[in-house]
Amino acid sequence: MKALDGIKILDFTHVQSGPTCTQLLGWFGADVIKVERPGVGDATRKQLVDKPGSDSLYFTMLNHNKRSLTLNTKTEEGKEVLERLIKECDVMVENFAPGALDRMGFTWERIQELNPRMIMASVKGFGPGPYEDCKVYENVAQCAGGAASTTGFRDGPPLVTGAQIGDSGTGLHLCLGIMTALFQRERSGRGQKVLAPMQDSVLNLCRVKLRDQQRLDAGPLKEYSQFGEGIEFGAATPRAGNDSGGGQPGRILKCKGWETDPDAYTYFITQAAVWKNICDVIDKPEWKEDEDYATPNARLTRLNEIFDTIEAWTMTKDKFEVMDICNPLNIPVGPILSMKELAEEPALRDTGTIVEVDHPERGKYLTVGCPVKLSDSEVDVTRSPLLGEHSAEILAMLGYGESDIQSMREAGAI
């Protein structure tokens, strides 16, 4: 039995944020019916294509464990099918432009008439307010949500991160909202609307920077490198380079081979509880009792010197040797792992975090598996659907006969 067996998802999402959400629901066992435009489909099917004649990795890696139904909702036949789907399904997930569903004739009130238990989950760029009608993409969300202004080095421009916190991060938040609404429905018997604005989701992931914004009222942020360098703080949370986001100073340091390997680095945290172990590892035993280094507060003005000394040691070891030496001593370190190294890591294959999938058009490819592991709901990652692959199957489930389906094809409804 899967966690969401019996739950049907009407998936009107495209590109990344919505499909991330519905893919998670599919991994947990829900029946995800992805509705796409006939002959066109999700825009990402043909974006960044690496193998001519096949769906792109962009699409395939976001649409596992789903069934594809092509449907033209501008036709009367298409609208009728949609009405049946709404009556049949538990959740509708959409990331249309604001107002698109209303223009189709499916307002929230109409959806409730058709199915009072329906949960309607929406991704939007912004929540209610002056920008709610604006179109938002990944990097726009990172900027509007506060991530970019706090990412990068102090003397450089704002930066976006390679992690898709705007799109996929919002999809994760939306999935949580849907699961919560399903749980509440068990007690109330009613559906509800779930909204996950991208700006809100990014800001939630940036909460420690909002924390630091308020801490500025009490004085400088002492764990930031610029404090030790004697540089004044401005009115807003600054960019902090590779400083740790917590209370323990940390930085990315070079390891052996950094001159030719762009990923020969480690993250090293000078956690107060293991300071004496750090001193032993870097051959600075005198720092254990020296009043200029012995306490966390004393070290704050000397972080550049301390990390330069630690880096002189890490540069004599490769990043995995640093880990092997430090971990038994409880010193928090972590190698900078490239996508190539992650793709080749056997442990991630064993846990299903990275899986190999066979696709009829492109052959075998690697993709991420479900990042959440449930002990009683094993996840099987199935390939993404071909465009309209399950149209007849889904329509038959809704009660349409073969002649009905053929008529819809001729009318351009599917």
Side-chain angles (χ1 to χ4, degrees):
M1 180 179 179
K2 300 293 180 70
L4 295 182
D5 272 349
I7 298 295
K8 288 186 171 62
I9 310 295
L10 179 52
D11 182 3
F12 264 109
T13 70
H14 54 283
V15 191
Q16 185 178 164
S17 55
T20 296
C21 169
T22 52
Q23 180 168 262
L24 278 167
L25 297 169
W27 281 338
F28 292 142
D31 178 11
V32 180
I33 300 170
K34 185 177 179 72
V35 181
E36 303 183 75
R37 287 185 298 163
V40 179
D42 189 314
T44 59
R45 281 187 182 270
K46 300 307 173 187
Q47 282 186 6
L48 307 176
V49 172
D50 60 310
K51 286 194 173 183
S54 69
D55 290 329
S56 70
L57 284 169
Y58 195 4
F59 176 84
T60 58
M61 293 177 70
L62 285 162
N63 290 282
H64 296 107
N65 296 60
K66 301 178 185 181
R67 297 193 287 168
S68 174
L69 163 70
T70 52
L71 189 66
N72 181 358
T73 56
K74 293 181 180 179
T75 65
E76 289 305 313
E77 297 89 344
K79 283 185 169 63
E80 182 191 331
V81 172
L82 181 51
E83 286 193 2
R84 291 199 193 187
L85 284 167
I86 291 171
K87 292 176 182 178
E88 178 74 17
C89 293
D90 298 277
V91 182
M92 175 192 285
V93 191
E94 61 90 15
N95 59 349
F96 290 123
L101 270 176
D102 293 354
R103 292 190 293 273
M104 288 165 55
F106 290 91
T107 63
W108 171 236
E109 291 73 24
R110 177 59 180 150
I111 290 169
Q112 284 184 302
E113 287 176 9
L114 293 167
N115 184 354
R117 291 173 57 82
M118 172 65 78
I119 292 162
M120 190 174 83
S122 303
V123 172
K124 294 291 178 275
F126 294 93
Y131 304 114
E132 61 184 306
D133 293 332
C134 294
K135 185 175 286 189
V136 174
Y137 291 92
E138 167 66 43
N139 289 347
V140 175
Q142 289 193 32
C143 294
S149 72
T150 57
T151 303
F153 287 90
R154 188 180 61 253
D155 56 354
L159 290 177
V160 296
T161 172
Q164 303 290 281
I165 62 174
D167 273 325
S168 288
T170 300
L172 293 170
H173 283 89
L174 187 67
C175 184
L176 173 61
I178 290 169
M179 301 289 276
T180 305
L182 283 169
F183 183 79
Q184 185 175 358
R185 193 181 71 176
E186 291 301 303
R187 292 173 293 170
S188 70
R190 295 183 291 109
Q192 61 181 300
K193 290 195 290 186
V194 178
L195 174 64
M198 296 173 73
Q199 182 186 44
D200 299 32
S201 298
V202 172
L203 180 56
N204 184 45
L205 297 174
C206 292
R207 69 184 68 177
V208 298
K209 297 302 182 179
L210 183 60
R211 172 204 66 190
D212 291 348
Q213 179 63 45
Q214 296 169 88
R215 289 174 58 223
L216 279 171
D217 292 340
L221 307 174
K222 294 182 178 180
E223 77 281 9
Y224 281 51
S225 293
Q226 72 182 75
F227 173 75
E229 296 167 7
I231 298 172
E232 289 188 8
F233 285 77
T237 305
R239 292 184 277 284
N242 288 317
D243 288 348
S244 171
Q248 307 289 340
R251 291 190 193 174
I252 290 179
L253 305 177
K254 298 172 183 173
C255 292
K256 185 164 68 175
W258 67 272
E259 300 92 341
T260 55
D261 181 355
D263 298 303
Y265 291 83
T266 190
Y267 201 92
F268 198 108
I269 298 175
T270 56
Q271 188 177 25
V274 293
W275 173 246
K276 291 184 178 180
N277 291 348
I278 294 171
C279 293
D280 288 336
V281 164
I282 64 175
D283 197 24
K284 283 290 184 180
E286 66 274 15
W287 280 1
K288 295 180 189 179
E289 308 300 334
D290 189 325
E291 63 180 16
D292 289 336
Y293 302 92
T295 66
N297 282 339
R299 292 194 289 273
L300 288 174
T301 59
R302 296 172 172 80
L303 289 179
N304 284 345
E305 177 196 358
I306 290 168
F307 280 113
D308 285 348
T309 304
I310 297 172
E311 188 172 57
W313 176 78
T314 61
M315 288 170 64
T316 67
K317 308 283 187 285
D318 69 41
K319 60 190 179 185
F320 298 108
E321 290 175 316
V322 172
M323 201 171 186
D324 290 342
I325 293 168
C326 291
N327 276 351
L329 299 172
N330 293 319
I331 300 171
V333 297
I336 308 305
L337 296 178
S338 68
M339 286 297 118
K340 183 176 186 297
E341 289 169 313
L342 290 167
E344 296 171 353
E345 173 53 56
L348 296 177
R349 305 286 188 98
D350 293 342
T351 60
T353 300
I354 289 181
V355 296
E356 188 174 71
V357 178
D358 199 8
H359 190 278
E361 292 179 340
R362 67 164 39 256
K364 293 186 183 299
Y365 67 95
L366 282 186
T367 186
V368 294
C370 186
V372 180
K373 318 301 192 222
L374 301 179
S375 63
D376 285 350
S377 184
E378 187 176 348
V379 173
D380 300 309
V381 177
T382 61
R383 66 168 176 84
S384 60
L386 302 176
L387 180 60
E389 180 177 353
H390 305 96
S391 293
E393 177 183 299
I394 293 166
L395 291 169
M397 178 192 76
L398 295 174
Y400 290 99
E402 289 185 14
S403 60
D404 299 321
I405 295 171
Q406 182 58 35
S407 295
M408 281 191 270
R409 283 201 179 98
E410 292 170 359
I414 61 171

